[in-house]
Amino acid sequence: MSAARPLRRFGAAYALGSILGLMGASLLFLENSCRSIESSLLEEFRIIAFLKPDLDEGRRLIVEEKLGALPDVAQTRFVSPQQSLDALKKEDPDLAESLALVGENPLPGAFEVRLDPEAVSRVSQWVLEAYGLTELADIRYQPVLVQAILQVQFYSRFLALVRGAALSLGVALLLGSMWLSGPKRAESGAGESSSEAAGVSWAVSAVGLAMGLFSGAGLSYLLISPIRQLSGLH
């Protein structure tokens, strides 16, 4: 085996590893960013189920139990009329002052319902099922926020799929090139020397691939860091 052949294999493996490292680290960054955005959106998303007026404490507890028993419910929280008014004073003081002119607090009691992340796509069906509770006067949620969550979930899963496919393809190309260009028994003579040459070939390629992966990932970090800082991301 000539001295140039291991060097060529090292260079090819290093180049392939660099491409895979750069691509993989960049896709992983985008995937993690999508998950962070998804987490923030899910924190903001909730369904508000308004109660009919004049429900006593016993019926309210029954409604809370029924809501919690519906499919895909992660959490329910009762919000009293006074709590709703206090929150409105913080969010929109002018509107709160207008309501104060009415005299008695006109805001109804309500339940904040959080769904499992996987169930956001089924929120319309969930609302239809929840309307079966006769004690509820109205159910509201933000359709725009639902669409944003679904889009981010799609991008996150798509990026994970592309990252896995790119890694599998890169490994397959590396193994294929090593197999096709590996030392042949007829050229190397004895079986012992052939095995030794093959071991050297695999070791050189593995080292080149590993170094390329680290280099590509490092380059991705160097490129992403200043862009994140300029964009105000943390």
Side-chain angles (χ1 to χ4, degrees), residues 16 20 166-178:
L16 180 60
L20 291 177
L167 179 60
S168 300
L169 179 60
V171 172
L173 289 174
L174 177 64
L175 294 177
S177 63
M178 291 173 60

Side-chain angles (χ1 to χ4, degrees), residues 85 88-90 92-103 106:
L85 184 59
L88 185 61
K89 289 179 180 179
K90 296 179 180 179
D92 195 337
D94 294 334
L95 180 57
E97 290 180 4
S98 301
L99 291 177
L101 298 177
V102 178

Side-chain angles (χ1 to χ4, degrees), residues 12-30:
Y14 181 85
L16 180 60
S18 298
I19 295 173
L20 291 177
L22 177 61
M23 182 183 300
S26 300
L27 290 174
L28 185 61
F29 165 76
L30 293 175

Side-chain angles (χ1 to χ4, degrees), residues 48-55 59 63 67 107-111 127 130-140:
I48 308 298
F50 294 98
L51 295 170
K52 290 182 178 179
D54 302 326
L55 284 181
R59 294 181 65 187
V63 174
L67 280 174
L107 298 176
F111 283 101
V127 168
Y131 267 124
L133 302 180
T134 57
E135 295 86 353
L136 297 181
D138 194 11
I139 301 176
R140 297 299 179 104

Side-chain angles (χ1 to χ4, degrees), residues 47-52 60 63 67 76-81 83-84 107-113 136 138:
I47 300 172
I48 308 298
F50 294 98
L51 295 170
K52 290 182 178 179
R60 182 186 69 78
V63 174
L67 280 174
T76 60
R77 185 176 76 91
F78 176 67
V79 181
S80 68
Q83 288 174 323
S84 298
L107 298 176
F111 283 101
E112 287 186 357
V113 181
L136 297 181
D138 194 11

